[in-house]
Amino acid sequence: MNSGLPPQQHLVAPGKWPLVGEKRPGPGGDSWIVTVENGVRNPLSLDPVALNALPQTERTVDIHCVTRWSKPGVRFGGVLLDEIVRRCQPLPDRAFVSFVARSERHHSTSLTLADALSLGTMVALRAEGEPLAVEHGGPVRIVVPERYFYKSLKWLERIDFLAEDRPGYWEAEAGYHNHADPWKEERYIASDTPPHVLRSALQTRDFSGLNLRGIDARRRDLAGLRGVDARLRDSHFEGAKLNDADFTGANLSNAHFADADLRSALFRGADVEGADFSGADLRGADFTGASLFGATFCEGAANGEFLHAVRTDGTTRFSAVSLESLAIVQRALIETTARIDP
Ligand SMILES: Nc1nc2c(c(=O)[nH]1)N[C@H]1C(S)=C(S)[C@@H](COP(=O)(O)O)O[C@H]1N2
Ligand SMILES: [Mo]
């Protein structure tokens, strides 16, 4: 197994386990049954008691979220997918497995069956020896080691074996990479936003409400940009002029802002999970209520100095509660240099 952190990941503070995506299972009451009937010779219907009666495995897994936080060494317990495959016997043409959740948006994710088995995919019932907490996918979730954690579906209700792939929610809707290997940084697939949409957005400096995932706006002058509620995952703004830009409520997860001029930019209530601000000028910027998991404000620290750090002062605002989600070095930098509102 690999050791150390995959590229561009940060450790969460010890003891923290961020909550990502949906927060609770969909309606359906206390009874929980995992159905395995599509694409199999031998249909199964497994409640937690039946799952607990199958051979159990404990395995320590490093969690790597696509938004750049990692939580190493979580001990999961449950049943290997392999045990279920042996019992249900997928039809010979079934090269893919899809996991479906009991959740508001019928969340799903998929893998090739070969990958799912070789990675040691687990139908997990426990974390650290305790039953899985509901918000972390209890009573039953999938855990796929060695893949970004969006492959690890919470509230498992169905396992389908498919002849053709059926990309899941994040892969189909958010542009997340279908293979999701953190060691290769397979975070996103290329964006398919039409070029004329990109061009006109850059010309008018009006991104409000648009989906411009992956846009390349490096070193552009976009001062005063209107970006309220824009969807800008994985967008590139390295070295751009964005003073007075308004990103209120925008989705900027994994956006790249290194060395950008962000003076007096608004990030109120924005999702900047995994975004990189190294070296950016954040004087007067407002991050009140922003979601900061995995965000980078400096490249590291050595000899008491923060390396390639943001420029902040008493006019750069953060709310105290969102700082709790930052990695330790990132948090230390912000706490010593910016204004923290209770
Ligand atoms: N049903 C369901 N499963 C899901 C998600 C979701 O939104 N719904 N989000 C995924 C993502 S993106 C991540 S990073 C992990 C987060 O798991 P956690 O909340 O236990 O940390 O769950 C994954 N499984
Ligand atoms: Mo994620």
Side-chain angles (χ1 to χ4, degrees):
M1 208 172 105
N2 279 300
S3 60
L5 274 183
Q8 307 296 327
Q9 294 291 122
H10 301 293
L11 292 178
V12 287
K16 295 269 175 202
W17 183 351
L19 200 57
V20 183
E22 296 175 300
K23 308 282 184 275
R24 64 192 72 81
D30 283 343
S31 72
W32 199 278
I33 293 175
V34 179
T35 305
V36 188
E37 62 183 14
N38 292 322
V40 301
R41 207 168 276 148
N42 190 19
L44 305 173
S45 161
L46 300 161
D47 64 8
V49 174
L51 284 165
N52 268 302
L54 294 175
Q56 301 293 300
T57 298
E58 298 277 322
R59 174 160 175 196
T60 300
V61 172
D62 295 341
I63 296 175
H64 305 299
C65 178
V66 71
T67 59
R68 297 177 202 271
W69 59 265
S70 292
K71 179 176 176 60
V74 181
R75 189 166 52 89
F76 286 103
V79 181
L80 285 176
L81 180 67
D82 189 57
E83 296 286 350
I84 291 172
V85 161
R86 278 174 212 233
R87 287 167 176 78
C88 70
Q89 299 181 32
L91 302 174
D93 66 337
R94 303 302 149 129
F96 299 91
V97 58
S98 171
F99 304 111
V100 185
R102 186 211 281 182
S103 73
E104 218 102 272
R105 53 164 118 98
H106 303 289
H107 193 89
S108 74
T109 193
S110 67
L111 293 151
T112 66
L113 184 52
D115 270 0
L117 293 174
S118 70
L119 293 167
T121 296
M122 187 190 279
V123 175
L125 303 158
R126 293 176 297 281
E128 306 299 355
E130 300 289 327
L132 268 175
V134 173
E135 66 272 23
H136 288 302
V140 189
R141 83 176 291 164
I142 289 293
V143 172
V144 184
E146 302 289 318
R147 289 291 178 265
Y148 286 125
F149 209 38
Y150 56 84
K151 292 289 180 186
S152 292
L153 181 116
K154 303 192 273 191
W155 315 296
L156 177 71
E157 173 169 70
R158 223 172 70 218
I159 304 178
D160 293 339
F161 295 91
L162 306 172
E164 281 178 38
D165 197 11
R166 182 176 67 204
Y169 172 83
W170 294 113
E171 297 87 341
E173 306 289 323
Y176 286 7
H177 199 293
N178 200 17
H179 193 247
D181 182 344
W183 300 95
K184 298 184 189 153
E185 274 209 270
E186 292 171 332
R187 296 179 203 269
Y188 292 95
I189 52 164
S191 160
D192 54 4
T193 311
H196 71 273
V197 174
L198 298 175
R199 258 199 318 275
S200 120
L202 289 167
Q203 259 158 27
T204 59
R205 300 191 190 183
D206 189 359
F207 289 16
S208 331
L210 296 178
N211 184 358
L212 299 170
R213 179 173 66 77
I215 192 171
D216 183 354
R218 282 174 288 184
R219 286 179 293 281
R220 291 220 176 221
D221 182 355
L222 294 169
L225 178 92
R226 282 161 295 162
V228 175
D229 294 333
R231 282 164 289 161
L232 292 164
R233 285 190 171 92
D234 195 34
S235 50
H236 285 268
F237 292 106
E238 292 96 329
K241 251 181 93 54
L242 284 163
N243 46 300
D244 302 299
D246 186 356
F247 290 114
T248 302
N251 187 328
L252 289 160
S253 57
N254 288 330
H256 308 267
F257 286 110
D259 301 314
D261 177 356
L262 289 166
R263 284 171 299 159
S264 301
L266 299 179
F267 292 95
R268 297 181 79 106
D271 176 349
V272 296
E273 294 175 10
D276 178 17
F277 294 96
S278 316
D281 191 342
L282 294 180
R283 289 172 295 166
D286 186 350
F287 288 83
T288 308
S291 180
L292 300 176
F293 281 112
T296 304
F297 295 97
C298 64
E299 279 169 7
N303 310 319
E305 298 243 351
F306 297 105
L307 306 174
H308 197 198
V310 284
R311 183 150 182 204
T312 50
D313 63 15
T315 64
T316 312
R317 303 175 63 161
F318 286 85
S319 27
V321 58
S322 49
L323 292 188
E324 284 174 22
S325 57
L326 282 178
I328 290 171
V329 175
Q330 308 299 325
R331 181 175 175 173
L333 167 65
I334 297 304
E335 281 180 344
T336 51
T337 60
R339 162 173 166 189
I340 315 298
D341 299 319

